[in-house]
Amino acid sequence: MGSAKLAIAPAVPLSLPAGGAKAPPAWVGGALRWLLRLGSLLACVALWELAAAKRLDLGLVTFAHVPPPSEVGPAIWKLVNSPKFFNHVNSSLLRVFSGFLAAAVAGVALGLIIGRSRAAEDAVLPPLEALRPIPAVSWIPLAILMFPSSELSMIFITFIGALFPVLLNTIHGVHAVDGRLVAAARSLGAGRLATLREVILPGAAPSIVTGLTIGMGTSWFCLVTAEMIAGQFGIGYYTWESYTLQNYADIVVGMVFIGLFGMASSAALRRLGTLAMPWYRLREKQS
Amino acid sequence: MSANEAVQGHIDIRRLDIHFGRGAARFQAVSDVNITVPGGQFVCLLGPSGCGKSTVLGALAGHLAPSRGELLLDGAPISGPHPERGLVFQHHTLFPWKRVLDNVAFGLKMKGLARAERETKARELLHLMGLEGFERHYPAQLSGGMQQRVEIARSLINRPRVLLMDEPFGALDAQTRLLMQELLLDVWTRVRTTVLFVTHDIDEALFLADRILVMSARPGRIIEDLAVDFPRPRDALLTTTEDFNRLKRHCMDLLHHDRGERVLERLSPIGDGGAASVSFAV
């Protein structure tokens, strides 16, 4: 194939397969791929339905107590129409966003300071590095003891979960800013603060957005776990409560909503990032 | 332009030494450089790659601290970067997140001018550089030549007494480079400022400069101070004249001394590239 490409063009017109009149238009190929993807999804749901209906027992894992999709669907509808749905969603969203917002502010601020100043790095980073390997979820018992309300302790867990991805990505982004841009800004009259605002922060922004997106994911993960242990409302609590009450279909309903909300908040964040940095896609395209 | 303005931009460099690196890696980039440039002159620093031309420029910009010697602008010692000394890099340093207009207006924003005022001035300068219609573009959407024009405009908006240019056209193709050289001379007749222009291209130096300072290989010293008194305005035909070629041969002979020596890597006007190497306090 490679040698054919190198050969000098022959006198006869080239007949490339893609250029032929018989080849189907491009959208047909695209539609076929989408059909295949959709088919794969539907096949999985069908297999799940079959396994659950037949109470399939594979020895190591059993589908005996797994609710089939035909029960989960109506259960979703029921929950969406019940008044407690709003309460559960509202509590979870409030917790995630308070914890995440605090982590975003603290992570970006600390990251900028640590990234810019060696003294700050030596003074502030070591204790944070010591805390980092401890999974946020393992903070739950201590957090319950430390905070006056379980609400605050859950927010704290989501905060811890999001803090490190945001912090580390911010530091990385600050270090990655081109030193020539900093020099240019200073030659144009920018002082320390202006350099931070006009050069360092926007230069690190793509990396910060990556950190925020990852942090949002871990926030949800931590929240759901915390709610299972300490919550009174919330989607995680709802999922666990369904297990204790043996409403097995509702377990899956809870799982579905956890996935949906996690995905939606990460996607919203990415979208905000693209809106705030229209220049970034241009630069990627160029290099 | 008043006579008073023309006097500004007088550069004095006395007994300048600059070293880089630490311990065993320490080396001398610049050795005993003495330069006096009267205000308003267009001076090219010509020398082989890695000879320390850019280092001298970096010291004048205030991004590199000398190990010895004095740097004066209009009699005042240089200590750190300042908008009165504009710096133009070989590869543009435009802020990728700012549109062309905001990049050019950056210096005025730092001076605290209101948006309307700084945008008016930035538009005037973009007009002068032939960049109307590109105000709303991002740097990544421009060609290399246009990016350099924006970079020059961004420095000029501060009305610098000195424009320090570090091989600003070195990364452009030959055709664009010629156009940029003519444009620069044209702009320089309108925005009169001292220009110190680093290049290793003999033709470029002869075409642009009032005066060429030829530097030796590292550690860089000034080995020749050459007056170039071709009449202005100059155009590309100048490069075909006999006088031009005579001077060109002379420069080639001077640089010839250094043939056969190892080719040195380029030195950056801001040291080893990081903000950490900036040695002056703000």
Side-chain angles (χ1 to χ4, degrees):
Chain A
M1 290 299 272
S3 59
K5 233 176 155 185
L6 286 173
I8 293 164
V12 281
L14 289 166
S15 59
L16 294 169
K22 275 183 226 161
W27 67 266
V28 173
L32 277 176
R33 291 191 64 191
W34 277 108
L35 269 177
L36 188 62
R37 289 168 184 168
L38 191 69
S40 154
L41 271 175
L42 289 175
C44 283
V45 175
L47 276 176
W48 167 19
E49 176 76 40
L50 205 69
K54 296 270 178 213
R55 299 179 164 269
L56 185 66
D57 190 348
L58 299 173
L60 196 65
V61 53
T62 175
F63 282 76
H65 306 291
V66 173
S70 55
E71 280 176 34
V72 173
I76 291 178
W77 185 247
K78 207 180 112 205
L79 177 65
V80 170
N81 286 303
S82 87
K84 61 182 180 176
F85 178 65
F86 177 78
N87 273 338
H88 286 305
V89 170
N90 198 31
S91 323
S92 286
L93 287 180
L94 216 67
R95 287 168 195 151
V96 159
F97 288 125
S98 336
F100 175 79
L101 221 69
V105 171
V108 171
L110 280 173
L112 286 176
I113 296 167
I114 292 171
R116 280 306 278 170
S117 143
R118 191 162 299 170
E121 184 182 332
D122 293 338
V124 182
L125 199 54
L128 289 170
E129 283 288 353
L131 292 178
R132 186 160 72 97
I134 303 169
V137 171
S138 68
W139 277 89
I140 293 175
L142 193 62
I144 293 173
L145 294 174
M146 284 167 68
F147 289 94
S149 71
S150 60
E151 205 57 37
L152 271 176
S153 63
M154 282 185 286
I155 291 173
F156 175 71
I157 299 300
T158 59
F159 166 79
I160 290 284
L163 178 66
F164 289 105
V166 177
L167 176 71
L168 295 178
N169 277 282
T170 305
I171 296 175
H172 172 78
V174 169
H175 284 165
V177 172
D178 188 351
R180 299 176 326 122
L181 294 189
V182 176
R186 297 187 55 204
S187 270
L188 292 165
R192 230 171 151 58
L193 214 63
T195 304
L196 197 68
R197 190 183 63 232
E198 302 280 343
V199 184
I200 303 296
L201 189 61
S207 186
I208 293 176
V209 169
T210 305
L212 290 175
T213 318
I214 300 171
M216 183 55 99
T218 47
S219 258
W220 271 103
F221 166 79
C222 294
L223 171 76
V224 167
T225 322
E227 280 180 346
M228 285 186 178
I229 296 169
Q232 286 184 332
F233 277 105
I235 305 173
Y237 170 78
Y238 174 80
T239 309
W240 191 250
E241 183 199 35
S242 306
Y243 167 75
T244 51
L245 298 178
Q246 301 190 325
N247 294 334
Y248 293 155
D250 290 343
I251 297 177
V252 181
V253 173
M255 289 166 69
V256 166
F257 278 110
I258 290 165
L260 279 178
F261 280 114
M263 192 174 73
S265 23
S266 283
L269 216 55
R270 259 197 300 277
R271 182 95 195 99
L272 280 177
T274 343
L275 283 177
M277 303 183 295
W279 57 274
Y280 189 59
R281 270 200 0 242
L282 294 170
R283 211 164 67 142
E284 274 185 330
K285 235 184 276 170
Q286 273 235 328
S287 51
Chain B
M1 185 188 58
S2 71
N4 190 29
E5 253 179 275
V7 180
Q8 284 205 326
H10 180 99
I11 300 171
D12 261 314
I13 302 180
R14 292 177 196 152
R15 308 184 64 83
L16 179 70
D17 284 357
I18 295 179
H19 292 81
F20 282 131
R22 287 212 175 86
R26 189 172 162 87
F27 66 91
Q28 186 163 16
V30 170
S31 166
D32 195 26
V33 163
N34 295 280
I35 300 174
T36 299
V37 180
Q41 203 170 45
F42 198 127
V43 176
C44 278
L45 268 178
L46 179 68
S49 199
C51 75
K53 323 179 280 293
S54 303
T55 307
V56 173
L57 216 61
L60 278 171
H63 291 299
L64 295 171
S67 351
R68 188 182 67 128
E70 261 188 314
L71 297 151
L72 304 171
L73 176 61
D74 294 326
I78 287 169
S79 62
H82 194 282
E84 74 190 6
R85 282 168 276 119
L87 180 60
V88 173
F89 291 82
Q90 179 177 18
H91 297 284
H92 81 87
T93 56
L94 299 174
F95 305 120
W97 46 86
K98 286 184 186 289
R99 295 174 192 272
V100 166
L101 192 65
D102 296 324
N103 260 292
V104 174
F106 183 81
L108 299 180
K109 187 177 184 184
M110 294 302 102
K111 281 184 182 155
L113 263 70
R115 175 173 284 275
E117 194 179 349
R118 58 187 195 239
E119 287 193 350
T120 309
K121 293 199 167 163
R123 272 177 216 282
E124 281 169 19
L125 213 49
L126 283 169
H127 171 77
L128 191 66
M129 301 300 290
L131 282 165
E132 290 131 313
F134 292 96
E135 292 87 353
R136 307 290 297 159
H137 284 58
Y138 284 101
Q141 295 171 301
L142 304 180
S143 69
M146 290 163 95
Q147 289 168 340
Q148 282 308 66
R149 278 189 265 168
V150 179
E151 172 114 349
I152 294 168
R154 189 179 65 170
S155 280
L156 287 179
I157 204 153
N158 286 319
R159 293 269 158 184
R161 293 192 227 175
V162 185
L163 188 58
L164 305 164
M165 308 185 84
D166 183 30
E167 301 198 34
F169 310 144
L172 304 177
D173 64 86
Q175 194 72 38
T176 312
R177 193 180 314 154
L178 262 174
L179 290 172
M180 292 292 292
Q181 288 165 359
E182 288 181 331
L183 177 74
L184 176 62
L185 287 185
D186 183 42
V187 168
W188 179 62
T189 58
R190 299 175 212 209
V191 186
R192 211 63 190 214
T193 172
T194 309
V195 179
L196 211 61
F197 188 107
V198 161
T199 180
H200 60 251
D201 180 339
I202 298 173
D203 285 52
E204 184 169 64
L206 286 168
F207 181 66
L208 294 173
D210 291 324
R211 180 180 162 204
I212 298 178
L213 299 170
V214 186
M215 284 183 80
S216 69
R218 194 186 296 168
R221 289 165 293 112
I222 307 286
I223 54 174
E224 175 103 2
D225 187 341
L226 195 68
V228 184
D229 35 23
F230 301 124
R232 296 183 190 270
R234 299 172 181 175
D235 64 38
L237 282 179
L238 169 67
T239 58
T240 62
T241 62
E242 201 158 307
D243 284 344
F244 188 93
N245 280 317
R246 190 176 45 76
L247 277 178
K248 182 173 173 180
R249 199 160 304 139
H250 179 67
C251 290
M252 286 171 92
D253 283 341
L254 284 170
L255 296 177
H256 212 77
H257 285 297
D258 298 316
R259 284 273 175 79
E261 290 194 22
R262 70 205 160 97
V263 175
L264 296 168
E265 60 176 317
R266 228 180 146 265
L267 297 172
S268 159
I270 59 167
D272 40 20
S277 71
V278 176
S279 349
F280 287 109
V282 178

